[in-house]
Amino acid sequence: MRLLSTSVVLSLLLTTTASAEWILSAPPREDADEAARLYAPLAAELSKALNDKVVFKAPTGWAAFSQEMKEDKYDFVIDGPHFVAWRMEHTRHVPLVRVDGQLAYTVFAGKDGPARLEDLKFKNVCSMASPNLAAVVLLAQFDSYVAPNVVAPRGGFKGALAAFEEGRCAAVALPNFFIEKLPPEKVAGLKTLFTSTEMPGLALTAGPRVPAAQHTLLVKALTDPAAQTNLKPLLDNLSGKEGGALVPAAATDYAGYQKLLEGVVWGW
Protein backbone atom coordinates (compact mmCIF):
# COMPACT_ATOMS: atom_id res chain seq x y z
CA MET A 1 0.00 0.00 0.00
CA ARG A 2 1.37 3.41 -0.93
CA LEU A 3 1.62 5.88 1.91
CA LEU A 4 0.32 9.39 1.32
CA SER A 5 2.84 12.15 1.70
CA THR A 6 2.58 14.50 4.67
CA SER A 7 1.63 17.39 2.39
CA VAL A 8 -1.24 15.42 0.85
CA VAL A 9 -2.57 14.39 4.28
CA LEU A 10 -2.44 17.99 5.50
CA SER A 11 -4.18 19.15 2.35
CA LEU A 12 -6.98 16.63 2.86
CA LEU A 13 -7.39 17.64 6.50
CA LEU A 14 -7.55 21.32 5.64
CA THR A 15 -10.06 20.68 2.87
CA THR A 16 -12.27 18.69 5.23
CA THR A 17 -12.09 21.39 7.90
CA ALA A 18 -12.80 24.18 5.44
CA SER A 19 -15.82 22.41 3.99
CA ALA A 20 -17.40 21.73 7.39
CA GLU A 21 -20.36 23.89 8.35
CA TRP A 22 -20.76 25.51 11.73
CA ILE A 23 -24.24 24.97 13.16
CA LEU A 24 -26.23 27.75 14.86
CA SER A 25 -29.49 26.93 16.64
CA ALA A 26 -32.05 28.39 19.04
CA PRO A 27 -35.12 27.19 20.95
CA PRO A 28 -38.22 26.37 18.86
CA ARG A 29 -40.25 29.46 19.76
CA GLU A 30 -41.28 30.14 16.15
CA ASP A 31 -42.20 27.95 13.20
CA ALA A 32 -39.32 26.94 10.93
CA ASP A 33 -39.91 29.65 8.31
CA GLU A 34 -40.11 32.47 10.85
CA ALA A 35 -37.07 31.13 12.72
CA ALA A 36 -35.07 31.04 9.48
CA ARG A 37 -36.05 34.65 8.74
CA LEU A 38 -35.01 35.83 12.19
CA TYR A 39 -31.79 33.86 12.64
CA ALA A 40 -30.36 33.87 9.09
CA PRO A 41 -28.81 37.35 9.63
CA LEU A 42 -27.04 36.08 12.76
CA ALA A 43 -25.66 33.10 10.83
CA ALA A 44 -24.50 35.56 8.15
CA GLU A 45 -22.72 37.78 10.69
CA LEU A 46 -20.99 34.76 12.24
CA SER A 47 -19.99 33.51 8.78
CA LYS A 48 -18.51 36.89 7.91
CA ALA A 49 -16.55 37.10 11.16
CA LEU A 50 -15.19 33.55 10.86
CA ASN A 51 -14.69 33.69 7.10
CA ASP A 52 -16.42 30.32 7.06
CA LYS A 53 -19.95 29.03 6.60
CA VAL A 54 -22.37 29.09 9.54
CA VAL A 55 -25.87 27.73 8.93
CA PHE A 56 -28.96 28.05 11.09
CA LYS A 57 -30.68 24.79 12.01
CA ALA A 58 -34.20 25.13 13.37
CA PRO A 59 -35.02 22.27 15.77
CA THR A 60 -38.23 20.36 15.13
CA GLY A 61 -39.39 20.84 18.72
CA TRP A 62 -38.29 21.11 22.34
CA ALA A 63 -37.43 17.41 22.58
CA ALA A 64 -35.17 17.58 19.51
CA PHE A 65 -33.57 20.83 20.69
CA SER A 66 -32.83 19.38 24.12
CA GLN A 67 -31.47 16.10 22.75
CA GLU A 68 -29.24 17.73 20.14
CA MET A 69 -27.91 20.14 22.76
CA LYS A 70 -27.05 17.24 25.06
CA GLU A 71 -25.29 15.52 22.16
CA ASP A 72 -23.32 18.73 21.49
CA LYS A 73 -24.58 18.98 17.91
CA TYR A 74 -24.57 22.80 17.94
CA ASP A 75 -21.54 25.06 17.56
CA PHE A 76 -23.48 28.22 18.42
CA VAL A 77 -26.71 28.54 20.41
CA ILE A 78 -28.58 31.63 21.57
CA ASP A 79 -31.02 31.03 24.42
CA GLY A 80 -31.82 31.58 28.10
CA PRO A 81 -29.52 31.52 31.14
CA HIS A 82 -30.57 28.02 32.28
CA PHE A 83 -29.47 26.49 28.97
CA VAL A 84 -26.35 28.67 28.78
CA ALA A 85 -25.24 27.54 32.24
CA TRP A 86 -26.01 23.89 31.46
CA ARG A 87 -23.82 23.97 28.35
CA MET A 88 -21.04 25.74 30.25
CA GLU A 89 -21.14 22.95 32.82
CA HIS A 90 -21.55 19.94 30.54
CA THR A 91 -20.44 20.68 26.95
CA ARG A 92 -17.74 23.35 27.47
CA HIS A 93 -19.66 26.13 25.73
CA VAL A 94 -18.53 29.70 26.38
CA PRO A 95 -20.89 32.72 26.39
CA LEU A 96 -19.79 35.36 23.88
CA VAL A 97 -22.48 38.04 23.80
CA ARG A 98 -25.84 38.49 25.47
CA VAL A 99 -29.00 40.46 24.84
CA ASP A 100 -28.73 43.63 26.89
CA GLY A 101 -31.04 43.79 29.90
CA GLN A 102 -32.34 41.41 32.54
CA LEU A 103 -35.02 38.72 32.54
CA ALA A 104 -37.71 38.33 35.21
CA TYR A 105 -41.04 36.51 35.35
CA THR A 106 -44.31 37.10 37.16
CA VAL A 107 -47.16 34.75 38.03
CA PHE A 108 -50.63 36.33 38.06
CA ALA A 109 -54.03 35.14 39.20
CA GLY A 110 -57.39 36.82 38.81
CA LYS A 111 -58.65 39.09 41.57
CA ASP A 112 -60.92 36.29 42.79
CA GLY A 113 -58.39 33.53 42.10
CA PRO A 114 -55.77 31.82 44.28
CA ALA A 115 -54.34 34.07 46.99
CA ARG A 116 -50.83 32.62 47.28
CA LEU A 117 -48.32 30.90 45.02
CA GLU A 118 -48.59 27.67 47.03
CA ASP A 119 -52.31 27.59 46.24
CA LEU A 120 -51.34 26.62 42.67
CA LYS A 121 -50.33 23.09 43.67
CA PHE A 122 -51.79 20.63 41.13
CA LYS A 123 -53.61 23.48 39.34
CA ASN A 124 -53.35 24.53 35.69
CA VAL A 125 -51.09 27.51 34.96
CA CYS A 126 -50.96 28.95 31.44
CA SER A 127 -47.52 29.78 30.02
CA MET A 128 -45.02 28.56 27.44
CA ALA A 129 -44.14 24.87 27.61
CA SER A 130 -41.24 23.71 29.77
CA PRO A 131 -38.26 24.03 29.39
CA ASN A 132 -39.08 27.62 28.41
CA LEU A 133 -37.74 29.77 31.24
CA ALA A 134 -41.17 31.10 32.26
CA ALA A 135 -42.41 27.58 32.99
CA VAL A 136 -39.11 26.47 34.52
CA VAL A 137 -39.02 29.41 36.96
CA LEU A 138 -42.58 28.57 38.03
CA LEU A 139 -41.89 24.84 38.48
CA ALA A 140 -38.71 25.55 40.46
CA GLN A 141 -40.87 27.02 43.25
CA PHE A 142 -42.54 23.65 43.94
CA ASP A 143 -41.61 20.12 44.86
CA SER A 144 -42.14 18.01 41.75
CA TYR A 145 -44.90 15.89 43.27
CA VAL A 146 -47.14 18.92 43.94
CA ALA A 147 -46.14 21.15 41.01
CA PRO A 148 -48.74 22.95 38.89
CA ASN A 149 -49.64 21.61 35.47
CA VAL A 150 -48.26 23.97 32.81
CA VAL A 151 -50.76 24.50 29.99
CA ALA A 152 -49.15 25.83 26.80
CA PRO A 153 -51.77 27.10 24.33
CA ARG A 154 -50.84 28.03 20.78
CA GLY A 155 -49.69 31.60 20.26
CA GLY A 156 -46.90 31.93 22.81
CA PHE A 157 -47.37 34.26 25.76
CA LYS A 158 -50.21 36.09 24.03
CA GLY A 159 -52.01 32.78 23.66
CA ALA A 160 -51.25 31.87 27.28
CA LEU A 161 -52.78 35.12 28.54
CA ALA A 162 -55.85 34.67 26.33
CA ALA A 163 -56.36 31.11 27.63
CA PHE A 164 -56.06 32.35 31.23
CA GLU A 165 -58.64 35.06 30.55
CA GLU A 166 -60.95 32.40 29.12
CA GLY A 167 -60.76 30.54 32.44
CA ARG A 168 -58.66 27.59 31.28
CA CYS A 169 -56.06 28.17 34.01
CA ALA A 170 -55.97 29.31 37.63
CA ALA A 171 -52.95 31.53 36.90
CA VAL A 172 -50.59 32.66 34.15
CA ALA A 173 -46.76 32.92 34.13
CA LEU A 174 -45.39 35.69 31.91
CA PRO A 175 -42.07 37.47 31.27
CA ASN A 176 -41.92 41.01 32.58
CA PHE A 177 -40.97 42.39 29.16
CA PHE A 178 -44.31 41.06 27.87
CA ILE A 179 -46.23 42.45 30.85
CA GLU A 180 -44.72 45.91 30.31
CA LYS A 181 -46.46 46.11 26.92
CA LEU A 182 -49.92 45.27 28.28
CA PRO A 183 -52.53 48.01 28.85
CA PRO A 184 -52.26 49.24 32.47
CA GLU A 185 -55.94 48.50 33.10
CA LYS A 186 -55.40 44.84 32.16
CA VAL A 187 -52.51 44.48 34.62
CA ALA A 188 -54.50 46.32 37.30
CA GLY A 189 -57.12 43.58 37.10
CA LEU A 190 -54.60 40.88 38.02
CA LYS A 191 -53.22 39.68 41.35
CA THR A 192 -49.45 39.13 41.62
CA LEU A 193 -48.58 35.81 43.26
CA PHE A 194 -44.85 35.72 42.53
CA THR A 195 -42.11 37.70 40.79
CA SER A 196 -38.73 36.10 40.15
CA THR A 197 -35.36 37.66 40.81
CA GLU A 198 -33.70 39.20 37.77
CA MET A 199 -31.52 36.97 35.60
CA PRO A 200 -29.07 37.79 32.80
CA GLY A 201 -30.48 38.04 29.29
CA LEU A 202 -30.34 35.45 26.52
CA ALA A 203 -26.78 34.72 25.42
CA LEU A 204 -24.98 33.34 22.38
CA THR A 205 -22.52 30.60 23.29
CA ALA A 206 -19.74 29.01 21.27
CA GLY A 207 -18.97 25.31 21.58
CA PRO A 208 -15.60 23.60 21.95
CA ARG A 209 -15.12 23.17 18.19
CA VAL A 210 -14.95 26.96 17.79
CA PRO A 211 -11.30 27.95 18.39
CA ALA A 212 -10.86 30.03 21.55
CA ALA A 213 -8.66 32.39 19.54
CA GLN A 214 -11.78 33.40 17.57
CA HIS A 215 -13.88 34.36 20.59
CA THR A 216 -12.66 37.94 20.92
CA LEU A 217 -13.04 38.46 17.17
CA LEU A 218 -16.63 37.20 17.30
CA VAL A 219 -17.55 39.43 20.25
CA LYS A 220 -16.13 42.47 18.47
CA ALA A 221 -17.94 41.61 15.24
CA LEU A 222 -21.33 41.01 16.85
CA THR A 223 -21.25 44.15 19.00
CA ASP A 224 -20.30 46.33 16.02
CA PRO A 225 -23.06 48.90 15.25
CA ALA A 226 -23.36 47.71 11.64
CA ALA A 227 -23.97 44.13 12.78
CA GLN A 228 -26.52 45.30 15.34
CA THR A 229 -28.41 47.10 12.58
CA ASN A 230 -28.48 43.92 10.49
CA LEU A 231 -29.70 41.96 13.51
CA LYS A 232 -32.39 44.45 14.59
CA PRO A 233 -35.46 42.24 13.90
CA LEU A 234 -33.90 39.36 15.85
CA LEU A 235 -32.69 41.52 18.74
CA ASP A 236 -36.04 43.29 19.10
CA ASN A 237 -37.71 39.88 19.12
CA LEU A 238 -35.37 38.41 21.73
CA SER A 239 -35.45 41.45 24.01
CA GLY A 240 -39.21 41.89 23.67
CA LYS A 241 -38.85 45.58 22.85
CA GLU A 242 -37.54 48.05 20.31
CA GLY A 243 -33.84 48.78 20.49
CA GLY A 244 -32.57 45.36 21.54
CA ALA A 245 -28.77 45.16 21.55
CA LEU A 246 -25.92 42.70 22.03
CA VAL A 247 -23.25 43.32 24.65
CA PRO A 248 -20.27 41.18 25.76
CA ALA A 249 -21.25 38.32 28.07
CA ALA A 250 -19.41 37.16 31.18
CA ALA A 251 -19.45 33.49 32.15
CA THR A 252 -19.72 34.42 35.83
CA ASP A 253 -23.13 36.01 35.17
CA TYR A 254 -24.56 32.61 34.17
CA ALA A 255 -22.92 30.31 36.71
CA GLY A 256 -25.41 28.18 38.63
CA TYR A 257 -28.50 28.70 36.50
CA GLN A 258 -28.33 25.10 35.26
CA LYS A 259 -30.02 24.27 38.58
CA LEU A 260 -33.24 25.58 37.03
CA LEU A 261 -33.07 22.57 34.70
CA GLU A 262 -31.40 19.86 36.73
CA GLY A 263 -33.82 18.35 39.19
CA VAL A 264 -36.65 20.61 37.98
CA VAL A 265 -37.34 19.59 34.38
CA TRP A 266 -37.74 15.90 33.58
CA GLY A 267 -34.83 14.54 31.55
CA TRP A 268 -32.30 17.09 32.76
Side-chain angles (χ1 to χ4, degrees):
M1 180 186 297
R2 291 182 60 189
L3 296 177
L4 294 175
S5 69
T6 302
S7 61
V8 171
V9 172
L10 286 174
S11 176
L12 288 171
L13 288 172
L14 289 171
T15 301
T16 301
T17 302
S19 63
E21 292 180 341
W22 303 100
I23 303 298
L24 163 69
S25 195
R29 303 184 193 92
E30 305 85 13
D31 63 39
D33 290 341
E34 177 65 5
R37 182 187 73 81
L38 285 171
Y39 289 97
L42 178 56
E45 291 296 332
L46 289 167
S47 297
K48 185 164 58 176
L50 289 169
N51 195 29
D52 209 345
K53 188 173 184 180
V54 177
V55 296
F56 174 70
K57 179 181 180 182
T60 56
W62 281 107
F65 178 68
S66 300
Q67 186 60 36
E68 290 179 346
M69 184 193 307
K70 292 174 184 177
E71 294 173 355
D72 197 23
K73 296 289 183 68
Y74 304 137
D75 299 298
F76 298 98
V77 193
I78 184 164
D79 54 8
H82 53 327
F83 288 128
V84 170
W86 189 92
R87 289 194 302 277
M88 287 168 52
E89 183 77 11
H90 296 284
T91 59
R92 296 186 293 130
H93 270 238
V94 176
L96 301 178
V97 292
R98 64 175 176 84
V99 178
D100 195 20
Q102 302 289 306
L103 293 172
Y105 297 84
T106 297
V107 179
F108 289 116
K111 288 297 185 183
D112 298 323
R116 304 170 302 166
L117 184 68
E118 50 265 40
D119 295 334
L120 297 180
K121 294 175 181 177
F122 304 115
K123 289 186 166 58
N124 288 344
V125 177
C126 289
S127 190
M128 294 275 276
S130 173
N132 181 276
L133 192 54
V136 169
V137 167
L138 168 69
L139 295 174
Q141 311 310 311
F142 295 85
D143 292 325
S144 60
Y145 57 89
V146 295
N149 174 48
V150 176
V151 175
R154 295 178 65 87
F157 290 116
K158 187 179 293 186
L161 180 58
F164 164 72
E165 292 173 335
E166 292 166 3
R168 292 173 56 187
C169 298
V172 61
L174 301 169
N176 286 10
F177 66 76
F178 178 86
I179 298 165
E180 290 166 1
K181 294 187 288 187
L182 295 175
E185 60 273 16
K186 185 183 287 283
V187 178
L190 301 173
K191 182 194 312 176
T192 300
L193 301 184
F194 170 79
T195 298
S196 74
T197 57
E198 290 189 331
M199 294 167 276
L202 282 68
L204 175 73
T205 66
R209 290 179 292 275
V210 180
Q214 300 278 31
H215 291 181
T216 301
L217 172 69
L218 289 166
V219 172
K220 183 177 180 180
L222 293 173
T223 54
D224 182 86
Q228 306 255 353
T229 298
N230 294 338
L231 297 174
K232 177 176 169 51
L234 173 62
L235 297 181
D236 289 352
N237 177 279
L238 295 180
S239 65
K241 61 184 179 182
E242 287 286 324
L246 290 176
V247 296
T252 52
D253 291 340
Y254 292 87
Y257 283 105
Q258 73 275 11
K259 294 175 183 177
L260 287 173
L261 282 175
E262 297 172 344
V264 175
V265 180
W266 186 86
W268 291 88

